[in-house]
Amino acid sequence: MKISLIDGFYSIYHFVPGHNHNLATRSQAHQLRSQRKINEAQVASIEVAKSVGISTKAAIDLIAKQACGFENLGFTRVDMKNKLYSKRSLQTKQGDTGGVLEYMEKKASEDVKFFYSIQVDEDDLITNIFWADSKMVADYEDFGDVVCFDTTYRKLDDGRPFGLLVGVNNHKKTTIFGAALLYDETANSFVWSFKTFLNVMSGKKPKTILTDEDAAMAKAIKIVLPETHHRICVWHMNQNACKHLAGCVKDYKKFNADFQNCIYDQEEEEEFLRAWGQLLEKYELQQNTWLQRIFKKREQWALVYGRNTFSADMSTTQRNESLNNELKGYISMKYDMLTFFEHFDRLVGDKRYEEVKCDFRATQSTPKLKAKFILQQFIRYLRKR
């Protein structure tokens, strides 16, 4: 059909009534716009898959497999992505502040002891958020002597630092005490976070706190937790050493082994100082400013100085590394804020399920004695005497 505009009117001046193209085959029919339709059950299936960390593409592939091929699916990948985008745009149209408030209120209605605090600026935009549920508060009451605060993982494209306050439970597993989404990593943001945390936990202060080597964080701890022992996490020390020294030494693997020997294997202060001097001399790093700076803080990170400070074995188990790796499996920088909360709940739920399994093993089985043979020998020795 050919149409022309003549004197303000459209006029058909050529028309061919028969088809002038090949008809779509059965396997191609699902590509025709008139033949494509998405039902609510299919959308719901994709949303459920998304909520447990399955990508939209993988979820669509699964539905196509169940339908015996894409030609029987009734829609294309692009159709579903457009549908989901429209739906999620409606969910977040009120903006981050309104969406987060709605989410927090929903959590509070489900858990009467759920606590949250949101700090906003003069434009009513969110700056800092802190939240903790009743289980986190109860766990802190039992296991809150040692806390690790880590903001290594950054969330979303806006680069907001995501801070987790974690500890170790009776099974030596990581337990979460609280979480914070911060606007930045300034001392003011950290002070607000720590004060809010103490408010939730009825003023109970940890005996030891482990953090990254961060000046703003150290300043906030001195203001809010002056009586708490502040230790620098060894895992962060190794990360920072790699960042600052990888290009300064020829064989970083050997250097790292010697560096860790200084941190972990020295029993006395004199031994540590001797090993440190040998390390600098061996790799010709006497003038390295980063090493000079951290040496001044050695009492906060070298284990020889922390033997009398209770740390629940958190300084040596690389718990931060493990937790950061876990976070990557749950949270993506592509997520909007509401999706982020949804997947953080998955992380918390899985952590608690691990605790349930550990409780079950502890109550329904008998642990094997690792030192059975040595103990038997000791008993025989006592009997002889």
Side-chain angles (χ1 to χ4, degrees):
M1 180 186 294
K2 296 181 179 179
I3 303 174
S4 177
L5 181 63
I6 302 173
D7 298 331
F9 294 92
Y10 287 101
S11 174
I12 299 173
Y13 66 91
H14 183 73
F15 176 73
V16 179
H19 275 91
N20 59 357
H21 64 85
N22 295 328
L23 295 177
T25 64
R26 181 181 179 87
S27 62
Q28 298 171 342
H30 69 285
Q31 294 288 339
L32 296 171
R33 189 176 301 175
S34 61
Q35 301 300 310
R36 303 203 306 260
K37 185 178 180 181
I38 303 175
N39 61 49
E40 290 303 317
Q42 291 169 329
V43 175
S45 296
I46 300 294
E47 289 287 355
V48 169
K50 188 74 174 175
S51 70
V52 296
I54 300 174
S55 68
T56 300
K57 180 181 180 301
I60 294 173
D61 288 345
L62 178 60
I63 296 177
K65 185 74 172 177
Q66 293 171 338
C68 299
F70 278 96
E71 64 272 16
N72 302 317
L73 196 56
F75 60 86
T76 65
R77 282 197 181 97
V78 174
D79 293 332
M80 179 58 79
K81 288 181 178 179
N82 290 338
K83 180 76 172 179
L84 294 175
Y85 178 79
S86 299
K87 185 175 181 180
R88 288 165 187 167
S89 295
L90 288 173
Q91 291 174 342
T92 58
K93 66 180 180 180
Q94 53 190 325
D96 274 351
T97 304
V100 170
L101 280 172
E102 184 178 345
Y103 171 84
M104 293 297 179
E105 288 296 332
K106 180 176 179 293
K107 296 292 288 185
S109 67
E110 297 169 349
D111 179 356
V112 293
K113 292 187 178 180
F114 182 86
F115 174 92
Y116 71 92
S117 181
I118 298 177
Q119 189 179 43
V120 297
D121 60 18
E122 60 273 11
D123 297 320
D124 283 336
L125 297 175
I126 292 175
T127 54
N128 299 313
I129 313 169
F130 180 90
W131 69 100
D133 62 22
S134 56
K135 181 72 165 60
M136 295 176 186
V137 175
D139 284 342
Y140 181 76
E141 180 64 29
D142 293 333
F143 311 114
D145 289 332
V146 181
V147 171
C148 180
F149 183 61
D150 185 19
T151 59
T152 302
Y153 194 86
R154 289 182 176 274
K155 177 260 169 195
L156 301 182
D157 291 329
D158 59 9
R160 278 179 177 268
F162 174 46
L164 274 180
L165 290 139
V166 304
V168 178
N169 64 16
N170 55 312
H171 301 293
K172 295 190 76 174
K173 299 292 185 181
T174 300
T175 184
I176 299 172
F177 298 142
L181 269 177
L182 305 177
Y183 179 74
D184 54 26
E185 293 181 284
T186 61
N188 288 337
S189 289
F190 290 135
V191 166
W192 180 87
S193 299
F194 293 142
K195 285 184 176 180
T196 305
F197 176 67
L198 291 180
N199 183 37
V200 180
M201 304 303 173
S202 303
K204 177 184 175 181
K205 298 180 180 180
K207 292 181 173 59
T208 304
I209 185 167
L210 294 115
T211 71
D212 188 5
E213 188 217 354
D214 184 275
M217 201 178 296
K219 181 179 178 181
I221 290 171
K222 286 183 180 179
I223 294 172
V224 184
L225 302 167
E227 300 171 358
T228 299
H229 294 289
H230 180 201
R231 301 282 299 169
I232 296 173
C233 180
V234 175
W235 177 74
H236 281 122
M237 286 297 301
N238 284 325
Q239 294 291 100
N240 291 335
C242 181
K243 186 189 305 180
H244 289 90
L245 302 174
C248 301
V249 294
K250 293 181 181 179
D251 191 339
Y252 183 76
K253 286 187 177 180
K254 287 185 178 180
F255 168 81
N256 189 48
D258 291 337
F259 183 67
Q260 293 196 40
N261 173 263
C262 285
I263 296 174
Y264 291 108
D265 301 334
Q266 310 308 314
E267 296 293 334
E268 302 294 337
E269 182 179 9
E270 290 183 4
E271 294 177 1
F272 167 77
L273 295 174
R274 188 183 310 114
W276 184 263
Q278 292 171 351
L279 178 75
L280 298 182
E281 184 177 350
K282 180 178 179 180
Y283 295 97
E284 300 179 354
L285 293 171
Q286 294 92 335
Q287 304 304 318
N288 185 276
T289 55
W290 183 77
L291 287 172
Q292 290 174 355
R293 180 165 56 83
I294 66 166
F295 182 72
K296 294 178 181 179
K297 301 178 181 180
R298 61 189 179 277
E299 294 184 2
Q300 287 185 289
W301 54 266
L303 296 189
V304 68
Y305 296 101
R307 307 249 183 233
N308 297 324
T309 302
F310 179 60
S311 63
D313 201 30
M314 290 183 70
S315 60
T316 60
T317 57
Q318 295 185 324
R319 196 165 299 274
N320 288 54
E321 179 183 20
S322 174
L323 191 59
N324 272 276
N325 287 334
E326 284 188 74
L327 280 170
K328 292 174 184 177
Y330 288 87
I331 298 168
S332 169
M333 291 181 69
K334 296 179 182 178
Y335 291 161
D336 57 64
M337 196 170 284
L338 295 180
T339 305
F340 164 81
F341 284 122
E342 182 179 332
H343 287 277
F344 175 72
D345 284 345
R346 285 179 51 231
L347 169 66
V348 174
D350 287 351
K351 283 288 179 191
R352 289 174 181 173
Y353 182 66
E354 284 296 319
E355 185 177 345
V356 170
K357 291 196 295 185
C358 290
D359 286 340
F360 176 80
R361 286 196 295 267
T363 57
Q364 303 298 319
S365 62
T366 303
K368 292 182 180 180
L369 190 62
K370 294 182 179 180
K372 183 177 180 181
F373 179 72
I374 297 175
L375 184 61
Q376 287 175 342
Q377 288 184 321
F378 181 66
I379 292 172
R380 292 193 191 101
Y381 170 76
L382 292 179
R383 286 175 178 172
K384 288 180 181 178
R385 296 195 62 178

PDB file of all heavy atoms in Angstrom, residues 165-191:
ATOM      1  N   LEU A 165      28.293  -4.867  60.444  1.00  0.00           N
ATOM      2  CA  LEU A 165      28.823  -5.131  61.780  1.00  0.00           C
ATOM      3  C   LEU A 165      28.600  -6.609  62.060  1.00  0.00           C
ATOM      4  O   LEU A 165      27.454  -7.069  62.144  1.00  0.00           O
ATOM      5  CB  LEU A 165      28.110  -4.266  62.815  1.00  0.00           C
ATOM      6  CG  LEU A 165      28.449  -2.773  62.724  1.00  0.00           C
ATOM      7  CD1 LEU A 165      27.208  -1.921  62.918  1.00  0.00           C
ATOM      8  CD2 LEU A 165      29.512  -2.394  63.743  1.00  0.00           C
ATOM      9  N   VAL A 166      29.689  -7.362  62.160  1.00  0.00           N
ATOM     10  CA  VAL A 166      29.579  -8.808  62.307  1.00  0.00           C
ATOM     11  C   VAL A 166      30.391  -9.292  63.491  1.00  0.00           C
ATOM     12  O   VAL A 166      31.274  -8.589  64.007  1.00  0.00           O
ATOM     13  CB  VAL A 166      30.032  -9.540  61.025  1.00  0.00           C
ATOM     14  CG1 VAL A 166      29.239  -9.064  59.820  1.00  0.00           C
ATOM     15  CG2 VAL A 166      31.530  -9.344  60.774  1.00  0.00           C
ATOM     16  N   GLY A 167      30.097 -10.510  63.910  1.00  0.00           N
ATOM     17  CA  GLY A 167      30.836 -11.151  64.988  1.00  0.00           C
ATOM     18  C   GLY A 167      30.898 -12.646  64.762  1.00  0.00           C
ATOM     19  O   GLY A 167      30.636 -13.133  63.665  1.00  0.00           O
ATOM     20  N   VAL A 168      31.251 -13.366  65.826  1.00  0.00           N
ATOM     21  CA  VAL A 168      31.368 -14.826  65.753  1.00  0.00           C
ATOM     22  C   VAL A 168      30.430 -15.437  66.787  1.00  0.00           C
ATOM     23  O   VAL A 168      30.415 -15.014  67.949  1.00  0.00           O
ATOM     24  CB  VAL A 168      32.823 -15.269  66.035  1.00  0.00           C
ATOM     25  CG1 VAL A 168      32.933 -16.778  65.997  1.00  0.00           C
ATOM     26  CG2 VAL A 168      33.765 -14.657  65.024  1.00  0.00           C
ATOM     27  N   ASN A 169      29.632 -16.434  66.352  1.00  0.00           N
ATOM     28  CA  ASN A 169      28.706 -17.068  67.288  1.00  0.00           C
ATOM     29  C   ASN A 169      29.340 -18.286  67.944  1.00  0.00           C
ATOM     30  O   ASN A 169      30.534 -18.555  67.786  1.00  0.00           O
ATOM     31  CB  ASN A 169      27.385 -17.419  66.591  1.00  0.00           C
ATOM     32  CG  ASN A 169      27.562 -18.448  65.480  1.00  0.00           C
ATOM     33  OD1 ASN A 169      28.576 -19.138  65.389  1.00  0.00           O
ATOM     34  ND2 ASN A 169      26.566 -18.546  64.623  1.00  0.00           N
ATOM     35  N   ASN A 170      28.537 -19.062  68.671  1.00  0.00           N
ATOM     36  CA  ASN A 170      29.055 -20.211  69.419  1.00  0.00           C
ATOM     37  C   ASN A 170      29.533 -21.354  68.527  1.00  0.00           C
ATOM     38  O   ASN A 170      30.189 -22.285  68.996  1.00  0.00           O
ATOM     39  CB  ASN A 170      27.994 -20.724  70.391  1.00  0.00           C
ATOM     40  CG  ASN A 170      26.688 -21.048  69.699  1.00  0.00           C
ATOM     41  OD1 ASN A 170      26.178 -20.251  68.916  1.00  0.00           O
ATOM     42  ND2 ASN A 170      26.122 -22.209  69.973  1.00  0.00           N
ATOM     43  N   HIS A 171      29.213 -21.307  67.256  1.00  0.00           N
ATOM     44  CA  HIS A 171      29.698 -22.321  66.303  1.00  0.00           C
ATOM     45  C   HIS A 171      30.908 -21.809  65.504  1.00  0.00           C
ATOM     46  O   HIS A 171      31.305 -22.439  64.530  1.00  0.00           O
ATOM     47  CB  HIS A 171      28.579 -22.712  65.333  1.00  0.00           C
ATOM     48  CG  HIS A 171      27.369 -23.272  66.006  1.00  0.00           C
ATOM     49  ND1 HIS A 171      27.374 -24.482  66.679  1.00  0.00           N
ATOM     50  CD2 HIS A 171      26.096 -22.785  66.119  1.00  0.00           C
ATOM     51  CE1 HIS A 171      26.170 -24.719  67.172  1.00  0.00           C
ATOM     52  NE2 HIS A 171      25.383 -23.709  66.844  1.00  0.00           N
ATOM     53  N   LYS A 172      31.439 -20.660  65.902  1.00  0.00           N
ATOM     54  CA  LYS A 172      32.552 -20.007  65.188  1.00  0.00           C
ATOM     55  C   LYS A 172      32.150 -19.633  63.764  1.00  0.00           C
ATOM     56  O   LYS A 172      32.978 -19.600  62.857  1.00  0.00           O
ATOM     57  CB  LYS A 172      33.805 -20.880  65.200  1.00  0.00           C
ATOM     58  CG  LYS A 172      34.391 -21.081  66.593  1.00  0.00           C
ATOM     59  CD  LYS A 172      35.748 -21.733  66.548  1.00  0.00           C
ATOM     60  CE  LYS A 172      36.820 -20.756  66.111  1.00  0.00           C
ATOM     61  NZ  LYS A 172      38.177 -21.327  66.195  1.00  0.00           N
ATOM     62  N   LYS A 173      30.882 -19.349  63.563  1.00  0.00           N
ATOM     63  CA  LYS A 173      30.369 -18.896  62.278  1.00  0.00           C
ATOM     64  C   LYS A 173      30.097 -17.397  62.350  1.00  0.00           C
ATOM     65  O   LYS A 173      29.773 -16.858  63.414  1.00  0.00           O
ATOM     66  CB  LYS A 173      29.077 -19.635  61.911  1.00  0.00           C
ATOM     67  CG  LYS A 173      29.225 -21.145  61.781  1.00  0.00           C
ATOM     68  CD  LYS A 173      30.075 -21.523  60.592  1.00  0.00           C
ATOM     69  CE  LYS A 173      30.118 -23.030  60.397  1.00  0.00           C
ATOM     70  NZ  LYS A 173      30.967 -23.413  59.248  1.00  0.00           N
ATOM     71  N   THR A 174      30.189 -16.731  61.211  1.00  0.00           N
ATOM     72  CA  THR A 174      29.930 -15.291  61.159  1.00  0.00           C
ATOM     73  C   THR A 174      28.463 -15.009  61.405  1.00  0.00           C
ATOM     74  O   THR A 174      27.585 -15.631  60.795  1.00  0.00           O
ATOM     75  CB  THR A 174      30.334 -14.728  59.788  1.00  0.00           C
ATOM     76  OG1 THR A 174      31.721 -14.965  59.571  1.00  0.00           O
ATOM     77  CG2 THR A 174      30.069 -13.229  59.723  1.00  0.00           C
ATOM     78  N   THR A 175      28.201 -14.081  62.303  1.00  0.00           N
ATOM     79  CA  THR A 175      26.828 -13.655  62.574  1.00  0.00           C
ATOM     80  C   THR A 175      26.745 -12.138  62.396  1.00  0.00           C
ATOM     81  O   THR A 175      27.696 -11.416  62.703  1.00  0.00           O
ATOM     82  CB  THR A 175      26.391 -14.057  63.997  1.00  0.00           C
ATOM     83  OG1 THR A 175      25.020 -13.702  64.203  1.00  0.00           O
ATOM     84  CG2 THR A 175      27.241 -13.386  65.063  1.00  0.00           C
ATOM     85  N   ILE A 176      25.622 -11.671  61.877  1.00  0.00           N
ATOM     86  CA  ILE A 176      25.461 -10.251  61.544  1.00  0.00           C
ATOM     87  C   ILE A 176      24.736  -9.532  62.675  1.00  0.00           C
ATOM     88  O   ILE A 176      23.669  -9.968  63.123  1.00  0.00           O
ATOM     89  CB  ILE A 176      24.686 -10.099  60.219  1.00  0.00           C
ATOM     90  CG1 ILE A 176      25.471 -10.769  59.081  1.00  0.00           C
ATOM     91  CG2 ILE A 176      24.439  -8.625  59.898  1.00  0.00           C
ATOM     92  CD1 ILE A 176      24.713 -10.837  57.768  1.00  0.00           C
ATOM     93  N   PHE A 177      25.322  -8.414  63.135  1.00  0.00           N
ATOM     94  CA  PHE A 177      24.736  -7.620  64.214  1.00  0.00           C
ATOM     95  C   PHE A 177      23.959  -6.412  63.702  1.00  0.00           C
ATOM     96  O   PHE A 177      23.086  -5.891  64.393  1.00  0.00           O
ATOM     97  CB  PHE A 177      25.826  -7.123  65.168  1.00  0.00           C
ATOM     98  CG  PHE A 177      26.591  -8.216  65.858  1.00  0.00           C
ATOM     99  CD1 PHE A 177      27.950  -8.084  66.062  1.00  0.00           C
ATOM    100  CD2 PHE A 177      25.958  -9.366  66.298  1.00  0.00           C
ATOM    101  CE1 PHE A 177      28.674  -9.083  66.703  1.00  0.00           C
ATOM    102  CE2 PHE A 177      26.670 -10.377  66.941  1.00  0.00           C
ATOM    103  CZ  PHE A 177      28.034 -10.226  67.149  1.00  0.00           C
ATOM    104  N   GLY A 178      24.278  -5.943  62.519  1.00  0.00           N
ATOM    105  CA  GLY A 178      23.620  -4.765  61.978  1.00  0.00           C
ATOM    106  C   GLY A 178      24.215  -4.401  60.636  1.00  0.00           C
ATOM    107  O   GLY A 178      25.281  -4.907  60.249  1.00  0.00           O
ATOM    108  N   ALA A 179      23.525  -3.549  59.897  1.00  0.00           N
ATOM    109  CA  ALA A 179      23.978  -3.156  58.562  1.00  0.00           C
ATOM    110  C   ALA A 179      23.724  -1.675  58.346  1.00  0.00           C
ATOM    111  O   ALA A 179      22.791  -1.098  58.914  1.00  0.00           O
ATOM    112  CB  ALA A 179      23.266  -3.983  57.494  1.00  0.00           C
ATOM    113  N   ALA A 180      24.562  -1.086  57.508  1.00  0.00           N
ATOM    114  CA  ALA A 180      24.428   0.348  57.233  1.00  0.00           C
ATOM    115  C   ALA A 180      24.770   0.636  55.782  1.00  0.00           C
ATOM    116  O   ALA A 180      25.731   0.086  55.239  1.00  0.00           O
ATOM    117  CB  ALA A 180      25.337   1.160  58.152  1.00  0.00           C
ATOM    118  N   LEU A 181      23.948   1.473  55.158  1.00  0.00           N
ATOM    119  CA  LEU A 181      24.256   2.039  53.848  1.00  0.00           C
ATOM    120  C   LEU A 181      24.619   3.499  54.089  1.00  0.00           C
ATOM    121  O   LEU A 181      23.793   4.271  54.565  1.00  0.00           O
ATOM    122  CB  LEU A 181      23.050   1.936  52.912  1.00  0.00           C
ATOM    123  CG  LEU A 181      22.937   0.687  52.053  1.00  0.00           C
ATOM    124  CD1 LEU A 181      21.641   0.727  51.249  1.00  0.00           C
ATOM    125  CD2 LEU A 181      24.122   0.557  51.119  1.00  0.00           C
ATOM    126  N   LEU A 182      25.854   3.851  53.772  1.00  0.00           N
ATOM    127  CA  LEU A 182      26.350   5.178  54.095  1.00  0.00           C
ATOM    128  C   LEU A 182      26.451   6.048  52.844  1.00  0.00           C
ATOM    129  O   LEU A 182      26.619   5.549  51.730  1.00  0.00           O
ATOM    130  CB  LEU A 182      27.720   5.073  54.763  1.00  0.00           C
ATOM    131  CG  LEU A 182      27.794   4.177  56.002  1.00  0.00           C
ATOM    132  CD1 LEU A 182      29.222   4.098  56.514  1.00  0.00           C
ATOM    133  CD2 LEU A 182      26.863   4.679  57.086  1.00  0.00           C
ATOM    134  N   TYR A 183      26.360   7.335  53.057  1.00  0.00           N
ATOM    135  CA  TYR A 183      26.508   8.280  51.953  1.00  0.00           C
ATOM    136  C   TYR A 183      27.966   8.381  51.526  1.00  0.00           C
ATOM    137  O   TYR A 183      28.291   8.481  50.342  1.00  0.00           O
ATOM    138  CB  TYR A 183      25.981   9.648  52.370  1.00  0.00           C
ATOM    139  CG  TYR A 183      26.114  10.708  51.309  1.00  0.00           C
ATOM    140  CD1 TYR A 183      25.267  10.712  50.198  1.00  0.00           C
ATOM    141  CD2 TYR A 183      27.094  11.698  51.405  1.00  0.00           C
ATOM    142  CE1 TYR A 183      25.393  11.678  49.213  1.00  0.00           C
ATOM    143  CE2 TYR A 183      27.222  12.670  50.424  1.00  0.00           C
ATOM    144  CZ  TYR A 183      26.367  12.650  49.327  1.00  0.00           C
ATOM    145  OH  TYR A 183      26.499  13.597  48.354  1.00  0.00           O
ATOM    146  N   ASP A 184      28.871   8.361  52.525  1.00  0.00           N
ATOM    147  CA  ASP A 184      30.302   8.451  52.242  1.00  0.00           C
ATOM    148  C   ASP A 184      31.059   7.829  53.401  1.00  0.00           C
ATOM    149  O   ASP A 184      30.464   7.296  54.347  1.00  0.00           O
ATOM    150  CB  ASP A 184      30.735   9.914  52.027  1.00  0.00           C
ATOM    151  CG  ASP A 184      30.336  10.817  53.186  1.00  0.00           C
ATOM    152  OD1 ASP A 184      30.191  10.303  54.325  1.00  0.00           O
ATOM    153  OD2 ASP A 184      30.148  12.029  52.975  1.00  0.00           O
ATOM    154  N   GLU A 185      32.374   7.880  53.343  1.00  0.00           N
ATOM    155  CA  GLU A 185      33.212   7.299  54.392  1.00  0.00           C
ATOM    156  C   GLU A 185      33.928   8.402  55.174  1.00  0.00           C
ATOM    157  O   GLU A 185      35.127   8.343  55.393  1.00  0.00           O
ATOM    158  CB  GLU A 185      34.218   6.322  53.762  1.00  0.00           C
ATOM    159  CG  GLU A 185      33.552   5.097  53.161  1.00  0.00           C
ATOM    160  CD  GLU A 185      34.544   4.121  52.555  1.00  0.00           C
ATOM    161  OE1 GLU A 185      35.049   4.396  51.447  1.00  0.00           O
ATOM    162  OE2 GLU A 185      34.805   3.073  53.174  1.00  0.00           O
ATOM    163  N   THR A 186      33.158   9.379  55.598  1.00  0.00           N
ATOM    164  CA  THR A 186      33.697  10.455  56.427  1.00  0.00           C
ATOM    165  C   THR A 186      33.507  10.114  57.895  1.00  0.00           C
ATOM    166  O   THR A 186      32.708   9.239  58.261  1.00  0.00           O
ATOM    167  CB  THR A 186      32.993  11.785  56.118  1.00  0.00           C
ATOM    168  OG1 THR A 186      31.587  11.643  56.413  1.00  0.00           O
ATOM    169  CG2 THR A 186      33.159  12.165  54.660  1.00  0.00           C
ATOM    170  N   ALA A 187      34.225  10.828  58.747  1.00  0.00           N
ATOM    171  CA  ALA A 187      34.114  10.587  60.185  1.00  0.00           C
ATOM    172  C   ALA A 187      32.689  10.828  60.672  1.00  0.00           C
ATOM    173  O   ALA A 187      32.182  10.106  61.550  1.00  0.00           O
ATOM    174  CB  ALA A 187      35.095  11.491  60.931  1.00  0.00           C
ATOM    175  N   ASN A 188      31.992  11.835  60.106  1.00  0.00           N
ATOM    176  CA  ASN A 188      30.618  12.135  60.531  1.00  0.00           C
ATOM    177  C   ASN A 188      29.675  10.962  60.257  1.00  0.00           C
ATOM    178  O   ASN A 188      28.828  10.631  61.086  1.00  0.00           O
ATOM    179  CB  ASN A 188      30.110  13.388  59.816  1.00  0.00           C
ATOM    180  CG  ASN A 188      30.770  14.652  60.338  1.00  0.00           C
ATOM    181  OD1 ASN A 188      31.258  14.684  61.465  1.00  0.00           O
ATOM    182  ND2 ASN A 188      30.799  15.694  59.525  1.00  0.00           N
ATOM    183  N   SER A 189      29.821  10.339  59.091  1.00  0.00           N
ATOM    184  CA  SER A 189      28.976   9.191  58.765  1.00  0.00           C
ATOM    185  C   SER A 189      29.254   8.022  59.698  1.00  0.00           C
ATOM    186  O   SER A 189      28.327   7.343  60.162  1.00  0.00           O
ATOM    187  CB  SER A 189      29.208   8.752  57.314  1.00  0.00           C
ATOM    188  OG  SER A 189      28.682   9.693  56.403  1.00  0.00           O
ATOM    189  N   PHE A 190      30.525   7.791  60.012  1.00  0.00           N
ATOM    190  CA  PHE A 190      30.875   6.689  60.911  1.00  0.00           C
ATOM    191  C   PHE A 190      30.394   6.970  62.332  1.00  0.00           C
ATOM    192  O   PHE A 190      29.916   6.065  63.027  1.00  0.00           O
ATOM    193  CB  PHE A 190      32.383   6.448  60.897  1.00  0.00           C
ATOM    194  CG  PHE A 190      32.884   5.872  59.599  1.00  0.00           C
ATOM    195  CD1 PHE A 190      34.031   6.378  58.997  1.00  0.00           C
ATOM    196  CD2 PHE A 190      32.222   4.835  58.971  1.00  0.00           C
ATOM    197  CE1 PHE A 190      34.503   5.853  57.808  1.00  0.00           C
ATOM    198  CE2 PHE A 190      32.679   4.297  57.781  1.00  0.00           C
ATOM    199  CZ  PHE A 190      33.821   4.800  57.192  1.00  0.00           C
ATOM    200  N   VAL A 191      30.531   8.226  62.778  1.00  0.00           N
ATOM    201  CA  VAL A 191      30.047   8.584  64.120  1.00  0.00           C
ATOM    202  C   VAL A 191      28.547   8.325  64.224  1.00  0.00           C
ATOM    203  O   VAL A 191      28.059   7.753  65.206  1.00  0.00           O
ATOM    204  CB  VAL A 191      30.368  10.065  64.428  1.00  0.00           C
ATOM    205  CG1 VAL A 191      29.581  10.539  65.646  1.00  0.00           C
ATOM    206  CG2 VAL A 191      31.869  10.239  64.677  1.00  0.00           C
TER     207      VAL A 191
END
